């Protein structure tokens, strides 16, 4: 963690390839610049995460503000296998099981308010592609659906097929996802306003 913190706060400008000005690939580096005095220079306008990754490979940029695990595991497996990149942080609520030494965004915060902002920014990534049911579903049916999903993501045949396809399986339980939503939804107006200020495009 200390090495990554040193890299983040190295003091030299780091060109970051990003998509739009409202995407996490841009707003996360902008927030870190204001919180930690990093020197991320965000270049927006790339049409996709793949295009931003190509820009990094071609030397147009030296970093990506955020990148999903599927992009790495499926699209750029050599980056990890050959240690061609250094992961500075995980845009998530918890550390990734395949990269347990990489800190989450919230762990980079220097005070409690910043930690709340960074966890709020990371909450969409924690939700991922969640399955939801309509309001009013009976409790016992919700439990049955959760149990069935939990059994599926532990099934050896399912996991072997996912590994073959380089699909990451690191699910949260229904209860854990509910906690993420509750935390984000309960953010105080002051934290919401602070988040808005921290993620805006620089003047």
């Amino acid at each position: 963690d200390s090495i990554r913190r040193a890299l983040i706060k190295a003091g030299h400008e780091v060109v970051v390839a990003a998509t739009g000005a409202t995407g996490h690939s841009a707003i996360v580096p902008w927030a870190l610049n204001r919180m930690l005095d990093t020197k991320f220079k965000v270049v927006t306008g790339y049409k996709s995460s793949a295009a931003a990754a190509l820009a990094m490979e071609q030397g147009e940029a030296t970093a990506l503000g955020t990148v999903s695990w599927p992009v790495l595991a499926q699209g750029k497996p050599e980056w990890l296998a050959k240690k061609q990149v250094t992961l500075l942080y995980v845009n998530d609520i918890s550390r990734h099981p395949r990269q347990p030494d990489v800190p989450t965004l919230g762990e980079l915060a220097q005070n409690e308010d910043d930690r709340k902002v960074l966890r709020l920014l990371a909450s969409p990534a924690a939700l991922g592609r969640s399955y939801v049911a309509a309001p009013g579903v009976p409790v016992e049916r919700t439990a049955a659906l959760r149990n069935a999903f939990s059994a599926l993501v532990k099934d050896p045949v399912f996991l072997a097929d996912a590994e073959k396809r380089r699909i990451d399986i690191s699910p949260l339980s229904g209860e854990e996802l509910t906690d993420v939503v509750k935390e984000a939804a309960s953010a105080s107006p002051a934290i919401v306003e602070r988040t808005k200020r921290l993620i805006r495009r620089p003047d």
Side-chain angles (χ1 to χ4, degrees):
D1 286 7
S2 60
I3 295 175
R4 290 182 175 85
R5 288 174 184 271
L7 285 170
I8 289 174
K9 299 186 70 174
H12 61 274
E13 187 174 83
V14 176
V15 178
V16 175
T19 50
T22 58
H24 274 65
S25 58
I27 64 177
V28 167
W30 286 334
L32 292 177
N33 281 349
R34 294 183 172 108
M35 290 179 181
L36 304 178
D37 197 29
T38 51
K39 306 298 181 184
F40 294 125
K41 179 181 179 181
V42 180
V43 179
T44 59
Y46 290 94
K47 293 183 179 180
S48 65
S49 296
L54 181 61
M56 186 172 163
E57 289 181 324
Q58 294 178 336
E60 295 177 18
T62 51
L64 302 175
T66 58
V67 59
S68 68
W69 188 262
V71 169
L72 289 177
Q74 294 177 282
K76 301 293 180 183
E78 69 279 4
W79 283 11
L80 298 173
K82 298 179 181 179
K83 297 183 178 180
Q84 296 175 334
V85 294
T86 298
L87 302 182
L88 298 180
Y89 52 79
V90 176
N91 181 33
D92 208 331
I93 297 297
S94 56
R95 295 192 179 198
H96 196 284
R98 292 181 186 254
Q99 298 288 333
D101 295 330
V102 182
T104 64
L105 272 181
E107 293 177 76
L108 301 177
Q110 297 180 322
N111 58 64
E112 184 60 18
D113 281 351
D114 284 353
R115 188 188 72 84
K116 290 179 180 179
V117 168
L118 290 174
R119 284 180 64 85
L120 183 60
L121 289 179
S123 58
L127 293 176
R129 294 181 174 86
S130 302
Y131 291 91
V132 299
V137 173
V139 174
E140 62 275 11
R141 189 172 303 168
T142 298
L145 289 169
R146 286 178 171 177
N147 290 337
F149 184 81
S150 296
L152 170 66
V153 296
K154 296 175 183 176
D155 180 77
V157 175
F158 172 79
L159 291 174
D161 187 54
E163 184 71 22
K164 180 180 178 181
R165 299 168 185 266
R166 294 202 295 266
I167 297 174
D168 178 55
I169 304 297
S170 53
L172 295 179
S173 68
E175 292 80 4
E176 290 171 320
L177 288 169
T178 298
D179 288 342
V180 172
V181 172
K182 286 181 178 179
E183 180 181 342
S186 64
S188 69
I191 291 298
V192 172
E193 287 304 313
R194 179 170 175 75
T195 302
K196 290 179 180 179
R197 293 195 302 271
L198 290 169
I199 67 174
R200 73 181 189 277
R201 181 193 284 274
D203 297 331

